[in-house]
Amino acid sequence: KKQVFICTNERPQGHPRGDCLKCGGMEIRVRLAKLMKEHGINDVMRSNKAGCLDVCELGAALVIYPQNVWYCNIQPEDVDEIFESSIYY
């Protein structure tokens, strides 16, 4: 079993650290949840919204537990590859 935490933290406009929500965090989470459902694994793996993972200046981030695999500066179009290489293998 795995849990994936996707940062969806939001900061005020113009904040120097940026935030993952404006970098596509919610779209990433929605796409990942859809892939889990399509592959029939949504009952054993979770795609969770997370608050700040403390790497917002690196762009949208997600972490996979218990493997402790981090992805930073990801875009919604990266989700399929991340799913295939680190989640559904």
Side-chain angles (χ1 to χ4, degrees):
K1 293 183 180 183
K2 299 177 185 176
Q3 289 194 2
V4 183
F5 295 92
I6 301 99
C7 182
T8 57
N9 189 50
E10 184 175 20
R11 289 195 172 96
Q13 189 71 20
H15 192 283
R17 290 192 68 200
D19 66 57
C20 291
L21 187 68
K22 290 179 186 75
C23 292
M26 189 59 69
E27 292 88 354
I28 290 165
R29 190 223 163 257
V30 168
R31 177 67 185 147
L32 190 54
K34 183 178 178 187
L35 286 168
M36 288 179 174
K37 186 172 184 176
E38 286 174 1
H39 285 83
I41 61 172
N42 58 318
D43 57 342
V44 295
M45 293 187 193
R46 305 297 303 170
S47 171
N48 301 293
K49 292 186 283 186
C52 186
L53 296 174
D54 204 26
V55 291
C56 292
E57 60 275 2
L58 301 178
L62 68 81
V63 61
I64 304 167
Y65 285 113
Q67 291 78 8
N68 197 29
V69 174
W70 286 75
Y71 288 93
C72 296
N73 197 27
I74 59 175
Q75 304 296 315
E77 55 269 18
D78 300 327
V79 174
D80 289 43
E81 182 179 341
I82 292 169
F83 180 78
E84 291 295 327
S85 64
S86 299
I87 298 169
Y88 188 74
Y89 58 87

